[in-house]
Amino acid sequence: MTTTQIQPAVRVRGLVKRYGGRAVVDGLDLDVHVGEVFALLGPNGAGKTTTVEILEGLRRRDGGEVRVLGADPATGDRAWRARIGVVAQTTGDGNALTVRETLDHFAAYHSRSEETDELIAAVGLTESAGTRAARLSGGQRRRLEVALSMQGRPELLFLDEPTTGLDPVARRQFWSVLQRLRSGGTTILLTTHYLDEAAHLADQVGVIDAGRLADVAPPDEMGGDLRLRSTVRWREDGGFRTVVTTEPAVVLRDLLNTGPRADLPDLTVTRPSLEEVYLQLVGAAPVAETGTVPSSTDVQGALR
Amino acid sequence: MTVTAAPTGVRAVDRPAPPGALRIGLARIGLELRLYLRDPGQVVFSFAYPVIMLLIFGSVFGGETTGPDVRFEDYFLAGIAATGIMLTSFQAVGIAIAEERERGDLGRLQLLGTPPAAYVIGKAGQVVVTTAAQLALLLTVASLAYDVPMPSDVGRWLTFGWVALLGILAGTVLGIAVSPFVGSARAASAGITGFSVVLQFFSGVFFVFAELPTWMQQVAAVFPLKWLTQGMRSVFLPDRAAAGEVAGSWEHGTTALVLGAWVIIGVVVCVRTFRWRRGEG
């Protein structure tokens, strides 16, 4: 077992945070392993930002156990803080310093830092290097924040909704920056409410709902049983027939065996997308598309 | 990709300790000055305001005298110099911090684990440089345009030095000290400026202090500006003018004591209440 040798980058047990008596985070458990990209997915108000801010040492917790790079963030010192990078959810308006001046200045805050030119190139701001931060677009300022967060070569990077408000092109550019960081070995914990982002970037996706982790899995395994139910659909007698099954191959074989001239117009077999699974996990959609979920034996019976 | 992150298995001991507060503070002085110079409002206000005040007082009261044969121009130069110090320290710092908080600059400093002392060093360094430039401009205009005599002995310049320095320190730490309580940048600008103007009326900047109502004098004596102004009068007015003061002397000891006490009060309040962001943390 490797987990007994290497402690996770982030370990959370039973985290609780209350605002005015209401628990925003309510018994959350979380493990982020070294070197992985973990996406915390959830609707607005689910407790994503609160959780991340507690991990960053910006907020106090009301209960539970939290270790980030082996330390309690509530008492994390400068040496600990030097090992983490943070891109906060809100980006400021920016000041009168240019991109290059900003990065040159903040290099003085680290014991060792990346070259300014390389950072600027890595986040795609080369052409805006001489532009004052206050005059950058929102997406560009966000990328400047990312450059600043990676300047001190952090081992663990927190990104809170890094691409919210970015146009699709800027989002893609952003993703490639994160993928390069990941291949460099940086552990990344990001929050998002974009499912495609989680699917694209993350090794592990955690769905957070009402202050708890509803599910944790690699993006293509998310949802477990929910994900295994395929929907077989075809046209018959002027309408569509739909069968939900965990064994679509069996259903298809039975369908094809119904007769020699079995014609199945518009036949489709679909597995639920991450989005559908997500919506079900956070309780925003019914458990299955049909009112009852027939088992594959029921389907076979119905077909015979 | 040339930018590479540290291998994640790296333990904290492999990483050199982060730079100290002094090194970051020195870098911040340069940053603060650059940001200051790029804010035209700040520059014009803090450099032009004292000079314009001098021009107004010179035009209105030029040639008149007060108390024991002291020219109004000379009397008010002291008050304007003191006001200038308050402007570039207390007022500029208090307003700037509220803006920095709104712009997200302070949030970033918090995330980088910046030592608060480094931030204070940066502010104080910027205030010392801008105040020195402002006073140099003001004294040059006063001397050339209004023939206000500049002190010729070292003793008076020494007095100028310690009074100005204590005023700058008190103004800087008090500007930082009030920052958690002033609200948004807009509110800070209105509140701090309003407070400063009232204090100027009470402290003998616009009027001869000895002629103000006693209760006003007593209120003013609690705050640093009255003592800063009085200290400046002891630099720019002849010795006989001391007889026109409320106490009949320049009260250097009390001046040092009150300004020093405000520096200490400011530091204590800063240490206890300074926050990078609103709310927690």
Side-chain angles (χ1 to χ4, degrees), chain A residues 78 96 101 114 145 153 185-186, chain B residues 4-5 8 15 19 38 108:
Chain A
R78 279 191 75 204
E101 287 169 340
E114 302 289 355
E145 293 292 330
R153 304 183 195 178
T186 310
Chain B
T4 51
T8 351
R15 191 181 275 271
R38 288 184 189 176
R108 176 182 298 151

Side-chain angles (χ1 to χ4, degrees), chain A residues 17 34 59-60 78 81-82 92-97 101 106 108-109 111 114 145 148 152-153 155 185-187, chain B residues 1 3-5 8 10 15-19 24 27-28 31 34 38 103 105 108 110-114 277 280:
Chain A
K17 175 70 184 179
V34 169
R59 281 186 197 283
R60 291 177 216 97
R78 279 191 75 204
R81 199 160 273 293
D93 293 334
N95 56 30
L97 292 186
E101 287 169 340
F106 284 106
Y109 293 57
S111 55
E114 302 289 355
E145 293 292 330
L148 285 164
R153 304 183 195 178
E155 294 156 51
T186 310
T187 308
Chain B
M1 163 81 176
V3 174
T4 51
T8 351
V10 170
R15 191 181 275 271
I24 297 178
R28 286 205 61 82
L31 171 103
R34 202 178 285 192
R38 288 184 189 176
R103 278 202 309 246
D105 292 4
R108 176 182 298 151
Q110 180 189 26
L111 292 175
L112 288 168
T114 312
R277 328 186 283 170
E280 283 180 274

Side-chain angles (χ1 to χ4, degrees), chain B residues 98 101-102 179-185 275-281:
Chain B
R101 193 173 275 127
E102 276 185 14
S179 68
F181 310 105
V182 291
S184 68
R275 293 287 177 271
W276 295 113
R277 328 186 283 170
R278 313 197 143 275
E280 283 180 274

Side-chain angles (χ1 to χ4, degrees), chain A residues 7-30:
Chain A
Q7 56 177 325
V10 175
R11 185 185 147 88
V12 177
R13 289 294 176 272
L15 180 64
V16 176
K17 175 70 184 179
R18 293 185 200 92
Y19 290 121
R22 193 176 71 89
V24 177
V25 179
D26 192 9
L28 182 121
D29 296 338
L30 177 69

